[in-house]
Amino acid sequence: SNPERCPADPEQTAEAYLLANLPTDEAQVFEEHYVTCPGCAAILEETSRYVVAMKQAAQRLRNSRK
């Protein structure tokens, strides 16, 4: 695979990467890619904020049910 190429769906790839749902080899390729690709790095940062917000919302939901 060519590390220069962006994933077909960077948002989905970033989300899977952050949730540890990417196979190790794909995660490694994406890791090597986004450090050199400002576009994908920005998507990863944005997706990271989204994932953290979702996790916090889920936590609040669980806590409110107690």
Side-chain angles (χ1 to χ4, degrees), residues 12-57:
Q12 197 178 349
T13 303
E15 193 172 328
Y17 172 77
L18 289 163
L19 296 171
N21 290 339
L22 271 188
T24 309
D25 54 339
E26 281 183 48
Q28 218 164 0
V29 169
F30 184 61
E31 233 163 57
E32 287 165 14
H33 171 73
Y34 78 72
V35 294
T36 60
C37 178
C40 283
I43 288 168
L44 186 68
E45 196 175 316
E46 203 173 299
T47 305
S48 174
R49 281 199 291 270
Y50 165 76
V51 167
V52 167
M54 292 299 286
K55 284 181 178 173
Q56 288 171 344

